[in-house]
Amino acid sequence: MHNGKARAFTNIALIKYWGKKDQQLILPMNSSLSLTLDAFYTETSVSFSKDYTQDLFYLDGELQDEKATQKVSRFLQLAREQAGIFEHALVYSQNFVPTAAGLASSASGLAALAGACNDALGLNLSTTELSRLARKGSGSACRSIYGGFVEWKKGHSDQSSYALPMASNHWEDDLAMIFILINDKAKKVSSRNGMQQTVETSLYYDDWLKAADADIKKAQEAIENHDFHALGQVTETNCLKMHATTLAASPPFTYWTPDSLKAMNKVYAMRDAGQDCYFTMDAGPNVKVLCQKKDSQKIYEELQKEFPEQQLVMAYAGKGVESLETEVAK
Ligand code: 2P0
């Protein structure tokens, strides 16, 4: 029996990953840049044993169906190949989210699974190698290996595509992100399908790639200079450019709902009233508001005027993946 357990926090991209050039290896079309946050995380334990006859995956206490297990199994197989240990596994994963918000995150999930496999199989991976392994489970997971500001350098091969922590002199500790959780009853386009459809059909995709390169540089500079205004601006405009590509895809789609627009308009109104805050959105209707820690309470209270408290979650900078104690191995 080989056991391992790890915890990983989710991350939100300030400059988005949107599109793959290699779907098997998960090599991205553009580099991305994120902030790891403390409010949402996953704890995963894994046991490999020659006594098991198949991989089993429990999420939040429930045995998952074949489709959910397949994604995990595919990842386990990569880890098994890397270790030369070909035993089936039992995976227990717990997502820690403040409310039942449908915020299951593949970033924290696959980063925690990578960390747990690293320990269980004695892979002894460096953080760079762990980031590369996590990437092959889910692109954004490669960024959750690290805390604070993280850049995923797109690279051009399995070897050269991984995330790195960014030198920031702990500036991330001065920042906050407030999640506005928005219920979405509509059938959602998964990020995996959404980005692929966009790469293949969006009229604006080439322009997105040009913009993303320029935006990474702007964000790097803003972080270097601790320039919140510049970081906020590039975060918000980069998100809008990503979402614009979906409207020019065929068929067109959007992740926005009326409540997403309400949240975005609230951010504009707060800015007009002198509050320093900016929004970003991912492959879903939730809106995240980036602000400075010193202003975060006031902005939270302002958002409470529009959204019930159960829909609001305050987050600060979070840590990278960490190993946890496992029960004694048999
Ligand atoms: C990001 N997203 O940079 C972007 C912005 C969604 C919008 O990474 O297919 O779950 O597993 O590599 O990592 C979500 O995509 O996709 C994502 P896969 P993933 O955070």
Side-chain angles (χ1 to χ4, degrees), residues 19 55-56 78 86 109-110 126-127 134 138 143 149 179 182 190 228 240 260 282 287:
D55 293 329
L56 290 178
L78 295 172
F86 294 94
L110 269 296
S126 66
T127 46
S138 186
R143 301 186 307 235
F149 291 113
F179 286 67
I182 288 165
S190 73
F228 180 71
L240 290 170
S260 314
D282 295 290
V287 174

PDB file of all heavy atoms in Angstrom, residues 19 55-56 78 86 109-110 126-127 134 138 143 149 179 182 190 228 240 260 282 287:
ATOM      1  N   GLY A  19      -7.286  28.336 -24.340  1.00  0.00           N
ATOM      2  CA  GLY A  19      -6.979  27.624 -25.582  1.00  0.00           C
ATOM      3  C   GLY A  19      -5.769  26.727 -25.434  1.00  0.00           C
ATOM      4  O   GLY A  19      -4.813  27.081 -24.746  1.00  0.00           O
ATOM      5  N   ASP A  55      -9.590   1.717 -10.346  1.00  0.00           N
ATOM      6  CA  ASP A  55      -9.476   3.010  -9.673  1.00  0.00           C
ATOM      7  C   ASP A  55     -10.864   3.422  -9.191  1.00  0.00           C
ATOM      8  O   ASP A  55     -11.843   3.329  -9.951  1.00  0.00           O
ATOM      9  CB  ASP A  55      -8.958   4.085 -10.647  1.00  0.00           C
ATOM     10  CG  ASP A  55      -7.527   3.816 -11.081  1.00  0.00           C
ATOM     11  OD1 ASP A  55      -6.760   3.244 -10.271  1.00  0.00           O
ATOM     12  OD2 ASP A  55      -7.182   4.185 -12.219  1.00  0.00           O
ATOM     13  N   LEU A  56     -10.936   3.898  -7.954  1.00  0.00           N
ATOM     14  CA  LEU A  56     -12.200   4.419  -7.420  1.00  0.00           C
ATOM     15  C   LEU A  56     -11.969   5.852  -6.957  1.00  0.00           C
ATOM     16  O   LEU A  56     -10.930   6.152  -6.350  1.00  0.00           O
ATOM     17  CB  LEU A  56     -12.693   3.572  -6.247  1.00  0.00           C
ATOM     18  CG  LEU A  56     -13.183   2.162  -6.566  1.00  0.00           C
ATOM     19  CD1 LEU A  56     -13.591   1.448  -5.279  1.00  0.00           C
ATOM     20  CD2 LEU A  56     -14.354   2.183  -7.555  1.00  0.00           C
ATOM     21  N   LEU A  78      -0.681   8.582 -15.592  1.00  0.00           N
ATOM     22  CA  LEU A  78       0.544   9.359 -15.836  1.00  0.00           C
ATOM     23  C   LEU A  78       1.491   9.236 -14.647  1.00  0.00           C
ATOM     24  O   LEU A  78       2.706   9.077 -14.798  1.00  0.00           O
ATOM     25  CB  LEU A  78       0.205  10.838 -16.053  1.00  0.00           C
ATOM     26  CG  LEU A  78      -0.610  11.194 -17.292  1.00  0.00           C
ATOM     27  CD1 LEU A  78      -1.025  12.656 -17.253  1.00  0.00           C
ATOM     28  CD2 LEU A  78       0.204  10.911 -18.549  1.00  0.00           C
ATOM     29  N   PHE A  86       2.523   0.063 -11.017  1.00  0.00           N
ATOM     30  CA  PHE A  86       1.254  -0.068 -11.754  1.00  0.00           C
ATOM     31  C   PHE A  86       0.189  -0.720 -10.883  1.00  0.00           C
ATOM     32  O   PHE A  86      -0.165  -1.878 -11.072  1.00  0.00           O
ATOM     33  CB  PHE A  86       1.496  -0.805 -13.071  1.00  0.00           C
ATOM     34  CG  PHE A  86       2.365   0.015 -13.992  1.00  0.00           C
ATOM     35  CD1 PHE A  86       3.741  -0.167 -14.025  1.00  0.00           C
ATOM     36  CD2 PHE A  86       1.816   1.028 -14.774  1.00  0.00           C
ATOM     37  CE1 PHE A  86       4.541   0.614 -14.845  1.00  0.00           C
ATOM     38  CE2 PHE A  86       2.607   1.808 -15.596  1.00  0.00           C
ATOM     39  CZ  PHE A  86       3.975   1.602 -15.620  1.00  0.00           C
ATOM     40  N   GLY A 109      -8.260  20.799  -7.359  1.00  0.00           N
ATOM     41  CA  GLY A 109      -8.460  19.350  -7.352  1.00  0.00           C
ATOM     42  C   GLY A 109      -7.291  18.595  -7.950  1.00  0.00           C
ATOM     43  O   GLY A 109      -6.751  17.670  -7.332  1.00  0.00           O
ATOM     44  N   LEU A 110      -6.885  18.994  -9.136  1.00  0.00           N
ATOM     45  CA  LEU A 110      -5.801  18.253  -9.792  1.00  0.00           C
ATOM     46  C   LEU A 110      -4.445  18.566  -9.181  1.00  0.00           C
ATOM     47  O   LEU A 110      -3.551  17.701  -9.175  1.00  0.00           O
ATOM     48  CB  LEU A 110      -5.810  18.522 -11.303  1.00  0.00           C
ATOM     49  CG  LEU A 110      -6.650  17.548 -12.146  1.00  0.00           C
ATOM     50  CD1 LEU A 110      -6.091  16.127 -12.073  1.00  0.00           C
ATOM     51  CD2 LEU A 110      -8.107  17.511 -11.739  1.00  0.00           C
ATOM     52  N   SER A 126      10.472  17.872  -8.004  1.00  0.00           N
ATOM     53  CA  SER A 126      10.703  19.284  -7.681  1.00  0.00           C
ATOM     54  C   SER A 126       9.376  20.011  -7.939  1.00  0.00           C
ATOM     55  O   SER A 126       8.476  19.460  -8.591  1.00  0.00           O
ATOM     56  CB  SER A 126      11.792  19.854  -8.593  1.00  0.00           C
ATOM     57  OG  SER A 126      11.300  19.868  -9.931  1.00  0.00           O
ATOM     58  N   THR A 127       9.249  21.240  -7.456  1.00  0.00           N
ATOM     59  CA  THR A 127       7.983  21.958  -7.689  1.00  0.00           C
ATOM     60  C   THR A 127       7.749  22.176  -9.196  1.00  0.00           C
ATOM     61  O   THR A 127       6.611  22.125  -9.655  1.00  0.00           O
ATOM     62  CB  THR A 127       7.938  23.305  -6.942  1.00  0.00           C
ATOM     63  OG1 THR A 127       9.157  23.992  -7.144  1.00  0.00           O
ATOM     64  CG2 THR A 127       7.680  23.104  -5.464  1.00  0.00           C
ATOM     65  N   ALA A 134       0.901  18.262 -12.777  1.00  0.00           N
ATOM     66  CA  ALA A 134      -0.451  18.779 -12.515  1.00  0.00           C
ATOM     67  C   ALA A 134      -1.065  19.351 -13.797  1.00  0.00           C
ATOM     68  O   ALA A 134      -2.261  19.191 -14.052  1.00  0.00           O
ATOM     69  CB  ALA A 134      -0.409  19.845 -11.428  1.00  0.00           C
ATOM     70  N   SER A 138      -5.015  19.105 -15.432  1.00  0.00           N
ATOM     71  CA  SER A 138      -5.847  20.258 -15.788  1.00  0.00           C
ATOM     72  C   SER A 138      -4.920  21.459 -15.881  1.00  0.00           C
ATOM     73  O   SER A 138      -4.116  21.691 -14.962  1.00  0.00           O
ATOM     74  CB  SER A 138      -6.900  20.474 -14.705  1.00  0.00           C
ATOM     75  OG  SER A 138      -7.794  21.478 -15.098  1.00  0.00           O
ATOM     76  N   ARG A 143      -0.736  26.019 -11.921  1.00  0.00           N
ATOM     77  CA  ARG A 143      -0.479  27.276 -11.205  1.00  0.00           C
ATOM     78  C   ARG A 143      -0.726  27.131  -9.708  1.00  0.00           C
ATOM     79  O   ARG A 143      -0.198  27.893  -8.916  1.00  0.00           O
ATOM     80  CB  ARG A 143      -1.344  28.408 -11.795  1.00  0.00           C
ATOM     81  CG  ARG A 143      -1.090  28.667 -13.293  1.00  0.00           C
ATOM     82  CD  ARG A 143      -1.859  29.892 -13.785  1.00  0.00           C
ATOM     83  NE  ARG A 143      -3.249  29.796 -13.472  1.00  0.00           N
ATOM     84  CZ  ARG A 143      -4.262  29.894 -14.351  1.00  0.00           C
ATOM     85  NH1 ARG A 143      -3.997  30.105 -15.629  1.00  0.00           N
ATOM     86  NH2 ARG A 143      -5.521  29.801 -13.965  1.00  0.00           N
ATOM     87  N   PHE A 149       1.395  35.248  -6.486  1.00  0.00           N
ATOM     88  CA  PHE A 149       1.352  35.461  -7.942  1.00  0.00           C
ATOM     89  C   PHE A 149       2.137  34.362  -8.647  1.00  0.00           C
ATOM     90  O   PHE A 149       3.259  34.027  -8.236  1.00  0.00           O
ATOM     91  CB  PHE A 149       1.999  36.797  -8.311  1.00  0.00           C
ATOM     92  CG  PHE A 149       1.217  37.999  -7.869  1.00  0.00           C
ATOM     93  CD1 PHE A 149       1.711  38.848  -6.881  1.00  0.00           C
ATOM     94  CD2 PHE A 149      -0.007  38.299  -8.452  1.00  0.00           C
ATOM     95  CE1 PHE A 149       0.989  39.967  -6.483  1.00  0.00           C
ATOM     96  CE2 PHE A 149      -0.728  39.418  -8.052  1.00  0.00           C
ATOM     97  CZ  PHE A 149      -0.233  40.253  -7.070  1.00  0.00           C
ATOM     98  N   PHE A 179     -15.439  37.110  -4.043  1.00  0.00           N
ATOM     99  CA  PHE A 179     -16.204  36.290  -4.987  1.00  0.00           C
ATOM    100  C   PHE A 179     -17.674  36.650  -4.867  1.00  0.00           C
ATOM    101  O   PHE A 179     -18.214  36.678  -3.760  1.00  0.00           O
ATOM    102  CB  PHE A 179     -16.042  34.799  -4.667  1.00  0.00           C
ATOM    103  CG  PHE A 179     -14.713  34.239  -5.055  1.00  0.00           C
ATOM    104  CD1 PHE A 179     -13.554  34.646  -4.408  1.00  0.00           C
ATOM    105  CD2 PHE A 179     -14.605  33.292  -6.059  1.00  0.00           C
ATOM    106  CE1 PHE A 179     -12.310  34.122  -4.755  1.00  0.00           C
ATOM    107  CE2 PHE A 179     -13.360  32.754  -6.417  1.00  0.00           C
ATOM    108  CZ  PHE A 179     -12.228  33.177  -5.768  1.00  0.00           C
ATOM    109  N   ILE A 182     -22.785  33.419  -8.282  1.00  0.00           N
ATOM    110  CA  ILE A 182     -24.024  33.636  -9.032  1.00  0.00           C
ATOM    111  C   ILE A 182     -24.559  32.295  -9.509  1.00  0.00           C
ATOM    112  O   ILE A 182     -23.835  31.506 -10.126  1.00  0.00           O
ATOM    113  CB  ILE A 182     -23.755  34.607 -10.207  1.00  0.00           C
ATOM    114  CG1 ILE A 182     -23.550  36.013  -9.614  1.00  0.00           C
ATOM    115  CG2 ILE A 182     -24.894  34.582 -11.226  1.00  0.00           C
ATOM    116  CD1 ILE A 182     -22.943  37.000 -10.547  1.00  0.00           C
ATOM    117  N   SER A 190     -18.546  23.595 -20.646  1.00  0.00           N
ATOM    118  CA  SER A 190     -17.362  23.388 -19.803  1.00  0.00           C
ATOM    119  C   SER A 190     -16.220  24.246 -20.334  1.00  0.00           C
ATOM    120  O   SER A 190     -16.192  24.596 -21.517  1.00  0.00           O
ATOM    121  CB  SER A 190     -16.952  21.917 -19.830  1.00  0.00           C
ATOM    122  OG  SER A 190     -16.368  21.603 -21.074  1.00  0.00           O
ATOM    123  N   PHE A 228      -1.290  48.919  -8.180  1.00  0.00           N
ATOM    124  CA  PHE A 228      -2.590  48.244  -8.138  1.00  0.00           C
ATOM    125  C   PHE A 228      -3.506  48.677  -9.282  1.00  0.00           C
ATOM    126  O   PHE A 228      -4.206  47.859  -9.886  1.00  0.00           O
ATOM    127  CB  PHE A 228      -3.299  48.454  -6.795  1.00  0.00           C
ATOM    128  CG  PHE A 228      -4.626  47.754  -6.780  1.00  0.00           C
ATOM    129  CD1 PHE A 228      -4.695  46.371  -6.729  1.00  0.00           C
ATOM    130  CD2 PHE A 228      -5.817  48.459  -6.892  1.00  0.00           C
ATOM    131  CE1 PHE A 228      -5.904  45.697  -6.783  1.00  0.00           C
ATOM    132  CE2 PHE A 228      -7.044  47.792  -6.948  1.00  0.00           C
ATOM    133  CZ  PHE A 228      -7.086  46.410  -6.889  1.00  0.00           C
ATOM    134  N   LEU A 240     -12.300  40.705 -20.266  1.00  0.00           N
ATOM    135  CA  LEU A 240     -13.302  41.087 -21.278  1.00  0.00           C
ATOM    136  C   LEU A 240     -12.900  40.605 -22.665  1.00  0.00           C
ATOM    137  O   LEU A 240     -13.743  40.167 -23.455  1.00  0.00           O
ATOM    138  CB  LEU A 240     -13.521  42.601 -21.254  1.00  0.00           C
ATOM    139  CG  LEU A 240     -14.246  43.108 -20.000  1.00  0.00           C
ATOM    140  CD1 LEU A 240     -14.203  44.636 -19.922  1.00  0.00           C
ATOM    141  CD2 LEU A 240     -15.689  42.608 -19.960  1.00  0.00           C
ATOM    142  N   SER A 260     -24.427  38.377 -13.622  1.00  0.00           N
ATOM    143  CA  SER A 260     -23.008  38.702 -13.859  1.00  0.00           C
ATOM    144  C   SER A 260     -22.899  40.167 -14.280  1.00  0.00           C
ATOM    145  O   SER A 260     -22.034  40.915 -13.800  1.00  0.00           O
ATOM    146  CB  SER A 260     -22.403  37.843 -14.969  1.00  0.00           C
ATOM    147  OG  SER A 260     -22.715  36.490 -14.836  1.00  0.00           O
ATOM    148  N   ASP A 282     -14.442  33.875 -15.060  1.00  0.00           N
ATOM    149  CA  ASP A 282     -13.881  32.695 -15.727  1.00  0.00           C
ATOM    150  C   ASP A 282     -14.954  31.986 -16.550  1.00  0.00           C
ATOM    151  O   ASP A 282     -15.880  32.642 -16.988  1.00  0.00           O
ATOM    152  CB  ASP A 282     -13.205  31.817 -14.678  1.00  0.00           C
ATOM    153  CG  ASP A 282     -12.012  32.565 -14.101  1.00  0.00           C
ATOM    154  OD1 ASP A 282     -11.031  32.730 -14.841  1.00  0.00           O
ATOM    155  OD2 ASP A 282     -12.086  33.041 -12.952  1.00  0.00           O
ATOM    156  N   VAL A 287     -18.589  36.358 -10.576  1.00  0.00           N
ATOM    157  CA  VAL A 287     -17.747  37.543 -10.778  1.00  0.00           C
ATOM    158  C   VAL A 287     -16.825  37.670  -9.570  1.00  0.00           C
ATOM    159  O   VAL A 287     -17.256  37.454  -8.436  1.00  0.00           O
ATOM    160  CB  VAL A 287     -18.628  38.802 -10.933  1.00  0.00           C
ATOM    161  CG1 VAL A 287     -17.766  40.062 -11.008  1.00  0.00           C
ATOM    162  CG2 VAL A 287     -19.488  38.670 -12.198  1.00  0.00           C
TER     163      VAL A 287
END
